[in-house]
Amino acid sequence: MAKLPGLGPRSARRAVLHMIKKRGLLLLPLADTLRKVAETARECLNCGNIGTTDICEICRSEKRAIGELCVVEDVADLWAMERAGVFKGRYHVLGGSLSALDAIGPDELRIPKLLDRVQTEEITEVILALNATIDGQTTAHYIADQLEGRVRVTSLAQGVPVGGELDYLDDGTITAALKARKAF
Ligand SMILES: [Zn+2]
């Protein structure tokens, strides 16, 4: 538990003790659920979202707009966008950002798949919803360069604080940022 992000040893000890005290109510159902998740959770072959099927619910949904594709770094960012409830298109999860320091190049991310999707799907606009960090913006510039002349590329604008991460933004900020997107 202490190895989980956001939990230090102290919080982990408290959580475990609490679960042991609530064995029937909390620990056993949680153990069952974790086993189920371990057996069924997988990455969507199309967009990289997490689901229980090869192609995720958002990709399969007929209610989502085909033309707008929102590119995010991680699934947590996709969830943040979905919490805001303002975006009706579909997603592409990169699985991180380009980083010279960590030797993460385009092929380590889902960038080739993104270029492939723009080629084969009826995408009219790629919305870059990447973190306002140096790596996030480097990634945004790289993708914009690759897509130049092939599709309209926009990025989130107002609302995203410099150095900030999408997952920490409130719904209103994400909504404002999406509405104020501009040509990249
Ligand atoms: Zn998907």
Side-chain angles (χ1 to χ4, degrees):
M1 287 286 283
K3 286 180 182 168
L4 294 176
L7 278 188
R10 192 178 135 85
S11 307
R13 273 198 302 272
R14 286 180 61 192
V16 169
L17 263 177
H18 184 73
M19 283 192 289
I20 291 171
K21 281 180 192 160
K22 307 255 176 188
R23 192 185 304 256
L25 206 65
L26 210 57
L27 188 51
L28 288 173
L30 182 65
D32 281 347
T33 305
L34 286 179
R35 169 162 291 281
K36 237 175 260 169
V37 170
E39 284 165 357
T40 59
R42 68 191 79 180
E43 285 179 353
C44 172
L45 295 176
N46 196 43
C47 75
N49 186 17
I50 303 255
T52 55
T53 47
D54 282 345
I55 303 295
C56 76
E57 255 177 63
I58 293 177
C59 283
R60 279 184 293 138
S61 172
E62 287 174 7
K63 290 185 183 144
R64 312 291 300 217
I66 302 283
E68 291 180 354
L69 190 69
C70 180
V71 178
V72 293
E73 287 178 31
D74 286 307
V75 175
D77 301 329
L78 185 160
W79 288 345
M81 292 291 294
E82 285 296 283
R83 278 203 303 276
V86 70
F87 181 63
K88 301 297 177 211
R90 293 176 303 148
Y91 294 95
H92 192 78
V93 182
L94 295 177
S97 54
L98 295 174
S99 168
L101 209 64
D102 299 321
I104 297 173
D107 292 339
E108 273 73 49
L109 304 174
R110 243 174 247 102
I111 288 179
K113 176 69 183 170
L114 170 64
L115 303 179
D116 185 50
R117 288 185 72 183
V118 170
Q119 195 96 46
T120 56
E121 296 178 24
E122 288 166 33
I123 292 163
T124 53
E125 178 179 356
V126 170
I127 302 165
L128 299 174
L130 303 179
N131 290 330
T133 57
I134 291 172
D135 284 347
Q137 292 311 297
T138 304
T139 311
H141 281 283
Y142 177 83
I143 292 172
D145 278 349
Q146 297 294 309
L147 293 177
E148 203 184 345
R150 291 167 62 184
V151 70
R152 179 172 141 86
V153 179
T154 57
S155 68
L156 294 190
Q158 280 175 19
V160 183
V162 172
E165 293 183 14
L166 282 188
D167 195 26
Y168 291 93
L169 298 186
D170 59 275
D171 299 356
T173 308
I174 287 185
T175 302
L178 184 71
K179 284 190 173 152
R181 68 181 185 270
K182 56 180 172 40
F184 197 86

